Amino acid sequence: MDIFRSPETNTFFSYDEAAAKDEFERRSFSDRLTRLIIDERGGNPLVVSIVNPWGGGKSTILRYIQDAVAATTRDESPHIKNCRITTFNPWRYAGEDQLLFHLFERLVTSINEKSPLSASQAILKLLPKWIKRTALICNWLAPGTGSLLEGFFSTISPEQFEIHLDAVRQTTREYLAKTGVRVIMLLDDVDRLDPDDIMLLFRALKLIVDLPNTTFIIAMDDEHVSDVIGKRIGGGIEGGRRYIEKIVNVRLSVPKIPDDVLDDYVMQRFKAVWRRELKERAKALGTAQKSKPTEPDPQDEERTKSIFRALHLHHIKTPRTVKSIENAFAFALGLLPDEVNAGDVLLLEATRLLHPQLYLALPEVIPNLEKNISRPFIETMMNEDADNQKTREQKAKIVRDLVNLIQTSPFLPQKPIEEALIRWFPQLGDFYSRDEEEENERAKRICSPNYYFWRYYSGAVHKTRDVADADVEDWLDLAINSEKKSQAVEALKNHLGKPYFRVFFKKLGDFLIARQDSVLPLNIIAEVASTFPEEEGVDSAWSLWHQATAMINTVIKKTNDKKKQIAIATEIVKATKNLRWNFVFFDHVATADYLNFRAKEGEEQRQPSPFDEELAQQSIEAYESGFSPQSNNLICKMVWSICRNLQIPDLAARVHKLAKENPDVALQFLVAGCTFVSSESHKAACWQWNGDKGLSEVEKIIPMLALKLILKDLPKKPHGLELPSDDFECLTLQGVGWACLDSIREREDKMKEPNATEAQ
């Protein structure tokens, strides 16, 4: 895959180089300093320090000074034309001899590259090289002699060394005074040196800063260098400053970047990375998905900026820090393209670099938040208000603890930081609705602990617990194409056989809600999911059937048109023909609008529900095919669906016929006159007979004469057996049959009473 690079630098990462573009209006600072140095008369030596923390733009100022000197020396004035500028990076050299040799070499060469060196200069310049080369040759001719030769030359006394050094200084001093050449030497990266080399550099500078017509401009982190020197000579950081003041004539600070300018700079650079990644993804996908955005979502961008400003902006003092975050953001964003929220990637990478303790604490807090603030059930029932207050206090403490992990200035208010943290993780606030949670999941935000949080920390989609959003979208692209249904079916079977099937269903629901073309995919999901076995011994809420039907119901309910909802649900139960699965789906989707209840007296009869009619048709067909449900729950749903839809032509006749031919089925039809105690559905005794009212309901599907004929073959009730009369006691199906016979006899007895009275 092609890697998109910055159009300005043709690189992917941002490098810590001096900025060619003056983004912070610092050229005026460097131009004025350059002009003052060049116009300085009298030949006095000058040492200028330009101070700022690491990455604060010191190298950029030195580069601008070089540019300004180059532009200014085109002037015809003799004192300007005689200016020479050179650079020296002390951190490239180790040891006092190396530092001194190269410092003088750069100084002398910058005066006049063609001028002959004095004997003492030549000796000083060539001595270390000559020693090393001679030692190498001797070692090759006779192993071991090279180290002896180096040892011999190392016995040169300090006095001899000082004689050569003084000769070089004197020759250089005379040449500078004679020619009037002014040398400007720029020393950068002083704060990169280790403590020993910092001391060596300043000792070396003390030997040469008194040379006439010289200007040394030293770029350094004043706090760091003063601290290092102070620890070596005593007196702490103030002692170090006093030591530097003996060498430095002019101490200048890099102009501070205004907060709003730095804010714009930060956001522009991060947005450029964001936009670059979007364009890269769009190019990689080609014409397959033209709808992919190439610009950040304005609402998401505003949210990210708001949180970033409160949590991070005050901790960014230099452009180097910005580039460090920018590079981390660019790399992390490319790990999971389209699988995470780009704004949250930026916020988390900035947290990792600026607030490492907060970064480490978030995985301990966010995924376990519900467990950490769990509420006792009894307390909730007794005093919900008090419990809510306790929960709010627990969350407020967690927020305060997290904010304390951010090293903030005592002058910064804590409230905006807390609010930003809550906006980033809204579950830390007092109110977090289900709608907000679903919106955050659709936006793939880090505050979604079940599906997205760990992606940000692991940089991967772990297939044991997660599925890539791209895989879900690829399946949907197959499912909406009727010509690719077989491919969609096979692909779905593969996904549902994986450990991540629950996450797959959840994401399918989110994506289908966002689409308009959900009917075909929902039918395929129902058709395939219903072919998987109903899991026994599994919490129904976690079973594949439950997950599939719950997701389908969620998608359907997002359609505001009730008739359309019922039409989609009807298509789904037609697509499966699996009665058990369809009634699991029924449990999730069915409301009063889906069912064909008879209108009460004075009410207008509604249009029949095709959904309920389809379930009734499938139920009677199942009975007619010889299917005998063993689950009390299924018996209840099948019989009641038939009872609600007797307006279907010939349905009552088919029930009558089945009851005459199969006594077991006839007993099941008697539950039309019962109340089903679902909490006891796992037991044989789970029915409560509704007396004469229940008998009237049964008569609607089985005429009385036929009912008597069916029940006459029922085993006789044991002598002395009293059927339960308590509402909390339940009957078996056989007990329902006896109760039904008792109700028939009671009705007949009541009918006989008026006749007997009349006869008397």
Side-chain angles (χ1 to χ4, degrees):
M1 181 178 68
D2 291 338
I3 299 296
F4 270 54
R5 293 170 168 80
S6 166
E8 298 176 357
T9 61
N10 195 34
T11 60
F12 180 79
F13 291 114
S14 294
Y15 291 89
D16 187 22
E17 297 174 340
K21 184 180 178 183
D22 186 18
E23 295 175 287
F24 305 117
E25 304 296 335
R26 287 171 168 173
R27 279 196 185 273
S28 58
F29 173 90
S30 57
D31 288 348
R32 174 166 173 74
L33 178 58
T34 303
R35 174 57 65 181
L36 290 174
I37 290 170
I38 290 176
D39 284 345
E40 187 71 13
R41 309 294 175 91
N44 294 318
L46 180 65
V47 181
V48 180
S49 67
I50 298 177
V51 301
N52 217 24
W54 279 327
K58 301 183 295 294
S59 297
T60 297
I61 294 292
L62 295 187
R63 175 174 175 171
Y64 292 167
I65 291 173
Q66 282 184 284
D67 294 343
V69 170
T72 307
T73 51
R74 298 191 187 101
D75 195 309
E76 296 300 320
S77 303
H79 79 281
I80 293 179
K81 288 181 69 66
N82 282 336
C83 280
R84 307 283 188 271
I85 189 163
T86 187
T87 60
F88 184 70
N89 246 329
W91 71 283
R92 296 177 181 174
Y93 309 108
E96 187 171 13
D97 58 344
Q98 288 283 319
L99 202 60
L100 279 170
F101 290 142
H102 290 286
L103 188 58
F104 268 104
E105 180 185 24
R106 185 60 59 87
L107 182 64
V108 171
T109 304
S110 66
I111 296 171
N112 190 341
E113 294 182 358
K114 297 180 180 179
S115 65
L117 297 175
S118 68
S120 58
Q121 287 174 309
I123 292 172
L124 186 64
K125 182 178 179 182
L126 298 175
L127 183 60
K129 294 181 181 178
W130 185 78
I131 292 173
K132 295 183 185 300
R133 289 171 183 168
T134 307
L136 287 172
I137 294 170
C138 292
N139 219 35
W140 178 65
L141 293 172
T145 58
S147 58
L148 292 174
L149 187 64
E150 283 197 56
F152 170 76
F153 281 105
S154 67
T155 60
I156 296 175
S157 66
E159 290 76 13
Q160 291 173 305
F161 182 80
E162 287 295 331
I163 290 171
H164 294 299
L165 182 58
D166 287 341
V168 172
R169 292 175 68 243
Q170 184 60 34
T171 303
T172 306
R173 181 187 300 276
E174 292 172 358
Y175 187 86
L176 287 168
K178 178 182 177 181
T179 61
V181 172
R182 172 168 284 277
V183 178
I184 303 171
M185 179 176 283
L186 311 177
L187 291 91
D188 199 5
D189 296 325
V190 172
D191 35 35
R192 293 192 186 186
L193 298 172
D194 62 39
D196 289 337
D197 288 339
I198 287 176
M199 291 301 303
L200 287 175
L201 174 64
F202 277 89
R203 280 203 293 265
L205 286 172
K206 287 176 69 175
L207 295 173
I208 63 171
V209 293
D210 61 343
L211 294 174
N213 289 326
T214 57
T215 299
F216 296 90
I217 303 177
I218 308 170
M220 63 181 180
D221 180 346
D222 187 52
E223 293 289 317
H224 173 68
V225 173
S226 297
D227 184 50
V228 167
I229 294 175
K231 287 178 179 176
R232 293 304 175 97
I233 66 172
I237 193 168
E238 289 303 320
R241 283 200 180 98
R242 289 193 295 271
Y243 180 90
I244 294 171
E245 286 172 358
K246 295 176 182 178
I247 301 171
V248 175
N249 308 106
V250 180
R251 300 177 66 192
L252 300 175
S253 178
V254 176
K256 180 172 170 50
I257 306 170
D259 289 345
D260 57 338
V261 174
L262 184 61
D263 183 6
D264 290 343
Y265 174 76
V266 168
M267 297 309 167
Q268 285 173 11
R269 292 195 72 92
F270 294 158
K271 186 174 180 179
V273 173
W274 196 339
R275 184 186 292 120
R276 183 179 70 187
E277 181 63 30
L278 289 172
K279 289 181 178 178
E280 183 174 345
R281 292 304 304 152
K283 182 180 178 182
L285 293 169
T287 58
Q289 294 192 37
K290 293 181 179 178
S291 61
K292 285 292 180 183
T294 56
E295 290 289 331
D297 176 70
Q299 186 176 357
D300 210 22
E301 183 182 348
E302 186 281 327
R303 167 186 172 271
T304 303
K305 286 181 178 180
S306 171
I307 298 170
F308 190 96
R309 286 183 178 118
L311 292 184
H312 303 311
L313 192 61
H314 292 290
H315 301 269
I316 297 177
K317 305 300 182 184
T318 68
R320 180 178 292 169
T321 305
V322 177
K323 292 177 182 178
S324 178
I325 298 172
E326 178 186 343
N327 287 332
F329 174 42
F331 180 80
L333 190 57
L335 286 176
L336 291 171
D338 292 335
E339 298 295 331
V340 288
N341 181 280
D344 279 346
V345 173
L346 170 59
L347 293 172
L348 187 66
E349 288 303 304
T351 302
R352 181 175 64 84
L353 296 173
L354 298 174
H355 313 302
Q357 288 184 300
L358 176 61
Y359 176 83
L360 294 174
L362 289 174
E364 298 179 16
V365 174
I366 301 304
N368 303 310
L369 186 63
E370 291 186 9
K371 182 168 57 179
N372 291 339
I373 61 169
S374 58
R375 299 174 294 174
F377 177 75
I378 295 176
E379 183 182 349
T380 304
M381 296 296 291
M382 292 175 61
N383 193 342
E384 187 172 350
D385 290 339
D387 191 65
N388 288 337
Q389 179 61 30
K390 181 179 179 181
T391 300
R392 285 193 290 270
E393 290 172 358
Q394 288 176 318
K395 287 184 176 181
K397 183 180 183 305
I398 291 172
V399 171
R400 289 194 300 271
D401 290 343
L402 291 174
V403 170
N404 288 337
L405 299 177
I406 301 175
Q407 300 297 323
T408 60
S409 165
F411 303 106
L412 288 176
Q414 298 290 298
K415 191 66 175 176
I417 301 174
E418 293 178 3
E419 290 173 350
L421 201 57
I422 292 172
R423 189 174 185 191
W424 195 15
F425 295 97
Q427 59 265 59
L428 293 172
D430 292 342
F431 304 102
Y432 187 39
S433 68
R434 179 58 190 160
D435 288 342
E436 287 180 279
E437 186 178 351
E438 290 177 353
E439 171 58 30
N440 286 324
E441 287 172 358
R442 283 192 289 274
K444 308 175 186 181
R445 288 176 179 150
I446 192 173
C447 59
S448 304
N450 294 329
Y451 305 106
Y452 291 102
F453 181 87
W454 286 111
R455 288 185 181 183
Y456 289 85
Y457 275 83
S458 66
V461 176
H462 292 278
K463 294 299 179 69
T464 55
R465 63 177 302 278
D466 198 0
V467 58
D469 293 33
D471 291 344
V472 180
E473 290 183 329
D474 287 345
W475 183 82
L476 282 174
D477 289 338
L478 285 176
I480 62 176
N481 188 339
S482 58
E483 295 179 358
K484 295 183 177 180
K485 180 181 176 181
S486 59
Q487 294 173 252
V489 167
E490 292 305 315
L492 185 58
K493 286 180 180 177
N494 179 57
H495 284 303
L496 299 191
K498 298 294 176 61
Y500 58 69
F501 74 85
R502 295 183 184 91
V503 179
F504 186 82
F505 278 136
K506 178 65 180 67
K507 290 183 178 177
L508 266 180
D510 290 341
F511 292 163
L512 283 168
I513 289 170
R515 291 182 177 228
Q516 301 299 319
D517 45 3
S518 63
V519 177
L520 277 176
L522 289 179
N523 286 346
I524 294 173
I525 293 166
E527 182 180 334
V528 173
S530 64
T531 63
F532 279 73
E534 189 174 8
E535 298 172 88
E536 296 182 4
V538 177
D539 183 351
S540 62
W542 289 96
S543 71
L544 187 147
W545 281 19
H546 176 90
Q547 296 286 313
T549 53
M551 180 273 291
I552 294 171
N553 173 50
T554 300
V555 175
I556 291 175
K557 291 297 171 61
K558 291 295 180 179
T559 304
N560 293 325
D561 187 335
K562 184 64 70 174
K563 288 184 178 179
K564 189 174 181 181
Q565 289 181 13
I566 296 172
I568 295 172
T570 305
E571 289 299 314
I572 287 170
V573 294
K574 284 181 178 180
T576 64
K577 295 295 184 182
N578 183 328
L579 198 56
R580 288 192 183 91
W581 194 93
N582 283 342
F583 276 115
V584 172
F585 174 56
F586 168 92
D587 286 338
H588 284 93
V589 75
T591 61
D593 297 303
Y594 284 72
L595 307 178
N596 288 323
F597 292 115
R598 286 186 299 277
K600 295 179 181 178
E601 188 175 348
E603 290 182 348
E604 184 180 349
Q605 184 65 44
R606 293 181 308 169
Q607 285 290 107
S609 163
F611 174 79
D612 207 19
E613 287 185 345
E614 178 62 26
L615 288 177
Q617 289 281 18
Q618 290 187 20
S619 297
I620 197 67
E621 287 170 5
Y623 277 124
E624 289 173 339
S625 68
F627 174 71
S628 179
Q630 301 303 308
S631 159
N632 291 325
N633 198 4
L634 186 57
I635 292 171
C636 173
K637 288 182 171 59
M638 289 175 67
V639 172
W640 287 2
S641 70
I642 291 171
C643 291
R644 287 193 302 270
N645 290 279
L646 293 174
Q647 77 280 356
I648 298 175
D650 299 327
L651 183 60
R654 293 164 72 182
V655 172
H656 185 190
K657 182 171 182 277
L658 278 168
K660 286 174 58 178
E661 294 175 352
N662 191 326
D664 291 335
V665 171
L667 278 179
Q668 291 185 10
F669 284 143
L670 294 182
V671 305
C674 293
T675 298
F676 176 51
V677 184
S678 57
S679 62
E680 301 293 319
S681 62
H682 59 290
K683 299 178 182 178
C686 62
W687 310 99
Q688 292 177 350
W689 177 250
N690 292 327
D692 190 66
K693 182 180 177 182
L695 181 59
S696 298
E697 291 297 323
V698 173
E699 278 189 285
K700 292 174 183 176
I701 57 173
I702 305 176
M704 181 59 73
L705 184 59
L707 186 59
K708 289 181 179 180
L709 290 173
I710 292 166
L711 293 177
K712 71 179 180 64
D713 294 327
L714 194 68
K716 289 188 177 181
K717 181 171 62 172
H719 182 69
L721 177 66
E722 291 291 332
L723 294 177
S725 57
D726 193 317
D727 287 343
F728 292 98
E729 295 186 64
C730 299
L731 301 169
T732 63
L733 283 176
Q734 191 174 69
V736 170
W738 292 330
C740 183
L741 277 174
D742 288 348
S743 293
I744 292 172
R745 294 189 186 104
E746 288 174 6
R747 181 184 290 184
E748 289 177 345
D749 289 343
K750 287 181 180 179
M751 291 175 66
K752 290 177 183 177
E753 286 177 5
N755 293 333
T757 305
E758 198 174 305
Q760 289 176 359

